[in-house]
Amino acid sequence: MFQTEIDTSTDKAAVWLRRGEVIGIPTETVYGLAGNALNEDAVLKIFKVKNRPHFDPLIVHVHHREAISRYVETIPDAAAALLEKFSPGPLTVLLPKKPVIPYVVTSGLDTVAIRVPNHPLTLELLRKIDFPLAAPSANPFGYISPTTSYHVYDQLHGRIPYILDGGATDIGIESTIVGFQNDRVTVYRLGGLSVEDIEKVTGSVTLDLQRSSDPRAPGMLQHHYAPRKPLHFINSPDEAPDTNAGYIVFQHALPHIPAHRQIILSPAGDLTEAAKKLFSAMRQLDKSDVPVIYAVRFPDVGLGRAINDRLMRASASPSQPDN
Ligand code: TXA
Ligand code: MG
């Protein structure tokens, strides 16, 4: 057990990481649970603290796109073009790993997921240490990802020594995961970088968004990002039947539901703002006295697609107990 400290010092963060401990770190997407990616014991601690199954691989974080070549065998042109345009940023690329990346990080896969997070404190931290950071989102496995240091503290205090406090995250949903096999650009997870923005650089991409809960399809597990309370994902406000339930809506209040039972993510109709507030809204309703949560489908464009993906997964019935 630790007395968990929350602070803005990257020096303190570096000390814990050099000792092989795992800590909370801010990124522009969500908070991560970080450890030395080259130290197997530190990586194993990440899985333990999160209660994460070992078949679900971790993302490696580096301070600059030029550092990526230390850890991967090749960078295809399409990957280089995306990294040039969107790094640092909410882009994760899947590339063939060099032996220096331990298989515990990749769950035995020969590709590693790697990205440059766009957060000043974490970039400062990454420049201070001489190893990359493996970091999944800093939530217990299956639960909603954290977008503030308090969210991390709320669930992991006592289990980690330190949380680097970088305020509320800017983007609010995880990075977009892109792979480059067989000369195709494939999006495996929708996220903070929209498919439309990727296609402006690479031309049309393939989507391979696993719906299954098959452990061989790591991480894209169907039941994920879920609150403890049942969440129903509905297509239209007309399906909102229950005045006692809590609602998550995009832009317009539902006329027949009391105002205090609905969270409007962006009255201005901005999907970027909605993405930023989504996970906090889910946590807020999960902690409130509503017995059940309804979320109304968002427009299926830009970040709306990633929002709908998260809500769909949060509403799927559990295929296994989530911790
Ligand atoms: O925005 C983000 O990506 C955040 C912040 C902390 O960087 N991290 C994050 O990590 O969302 P996590 O562990 O919650 O999600 C990582 C996803 C998982 O679905 C995992 O299966 C997938 O990335 N992944 C990791 N390595 C992979 C690999 N080598 N091949 C395929 N999928 C991989
Ligand atoms: Mg996660």
Side-chain angles (χ1 to χ4, degrees), residues 135-163:
S137 51
N139 49 284
F141 183 68
Y143 196 68
I144 307 160
S145 299
T147 56
T148 66
S149 56
Y150 179 72
H151 291 163
V152 182
Y153 184 87
D154 192 29
Q155 292 189 302
L156 299 182
H157 69 88
R159 312 198 70 180
I160 54 177
Y162 191 72
I163 302 168

Side-chain angles (χ1 to χ4, degrees), residues 22-64:
V22 305
I23 64 168
I25 58 163
T27 81
E28 81 284 29
T29 58
V30 300
Y31 273 71
L33 184 64
N36 179 349
L38 308 183
N39 173 337
E40 292 197 17
D41 290 335
V43 174
L44 289 171
K45 275 186 199 165
I46 297 175
F47 284 96
K48 193 154 178 241
V49 168
K50 246 193 98 111
N51 237 321
R52 179 176 176 115
H54 287 269
F55 59 73
D56 195 1
L58 308 180
I59 296 177
V60 171
H61 298 68
V62 297
H63 76 280
H64 193 277

Side-chain angles (χ1 to χ4, degrees), residues 283-314:
R283 278 179 191 256
Q284 190 183 324
L285 290 176
D286 208 19
K287 290 208 162 193
S288 75
D289 62 355
V290 302
V292 49
I293 303 166
Y294 287 83
V296 187
R297 182 177 289 279
F298 284 63
D300 226 11
V301 293
L303 296 194
R305 294 165 79 173
I307 294 174
N308 286 334
D309 170 86
R310 299 301 185 276
L311 290 170
M312 190 268 298
R313 289 175 203 269

Side-chain angles (χ1 to χ4, degrees), residues 241-264:
D242 181 352
T243 50
N244 287 318
Y247 288 85
I248 295 175
V249 296
F250 177 31
Q251 186 176 6
H252 302 294
L254 302 172
H256 52 297
I257 302 294
H260 67 280
R261 295 213 185 282
Q262 36 186 327
I263 299 181
I264 302 164

Side-chain angles (χ1 to χ4, degrees), residues 57-251:
L58 308 180
I59 296 177
V60 171
H61 298 68
V62 297
H63 76 280
H64 193 277
R65 65 175 185 274
E66 276 162 19
I68 291 176
S69 55
R70 291 181 211 157
Y71 308 111
V72 308
E73 297 284 3
T74 54
I75 304 182
D77 290 346
L82 286 174
L83 288 166
E84 161 110 39
K85 176 111 186 163
F86 300 117
S87 271
L91 165 71
T92 294
V93 290
L94 298 178
L95 297 172
K97 77 176 196 71
K98 278 187 173 162
V100 63
I101 299 289
Y103 277 114
V104 283
V105 171
T106 65
S107 302
L109 299 172
D110 288 318
T111 55
V112 60
I114 196 156
R115 83 181 196 93
V116 185
N118 191 14
H119 191 288
L121 276 188
T122 290
L123 288 173
E124 181 183 301
L125 171 63
L126 284 165
R127 282 191 294 266
K128 268 183 195 167
I129 53 183
D130 59 359
F131 46 84
L133 291 175
S137 51
N139 49 284
F141 183 68
Y143 196 68
I144 307 160
S145 299
T147 56
T148 66
S149 56
Y150 179 72
H151 291 163
V152 182
Y153 184 87
D154 192 29
Q155 292 189 302
L156 299 182
H157 69 88
R159 312 198 70 180
I160 54 177
Y162 191 72
I163 302 168
L164 180 61
D165 188 1
T169 60
D170 229 28
I171 290 181
I173 51 176
E174 297 84 350
S175 61
T176 303
I177 300 181
V178 186
F180 306 90
Q181 268 175 346
N182 308 322
D183 291 326
R184 292 284 315 154
V185 178
T186 306
V187 170
Y188 292 97
R189 178 176 73 182
L190 298 170
L193 178 63
S194 71
V195 171
E196 291 90 333
D197 282 347
I198 291 171
E199 287 185 327
K200 278 180 211 151
V201 174
T202 63
S204 71
V205 303
T206 307
L207 294 193
D208 183 3
L209 312 171
Q210 287 291 341
R211 294 288 184 274
S212 95
S213 52
D214 182 343
R216 282 167 301 175
M220 319 302 173
L221 300 179
Q222 187 169 20
H223 186 63
H224 225 104
Y225 312 106
R228 311 255 179 254
K229 290 182 183 158
L231 184 147
H232 300 291
F233 187 31
I234 57 180
N235 284 315
S236 110
D238 307 333
E239 291 171 44
D242 181 352
T243 50
N244 287 318
Y247 288 85
I248 295 175
V249 296
F250 177 31
Q251 186 176 6

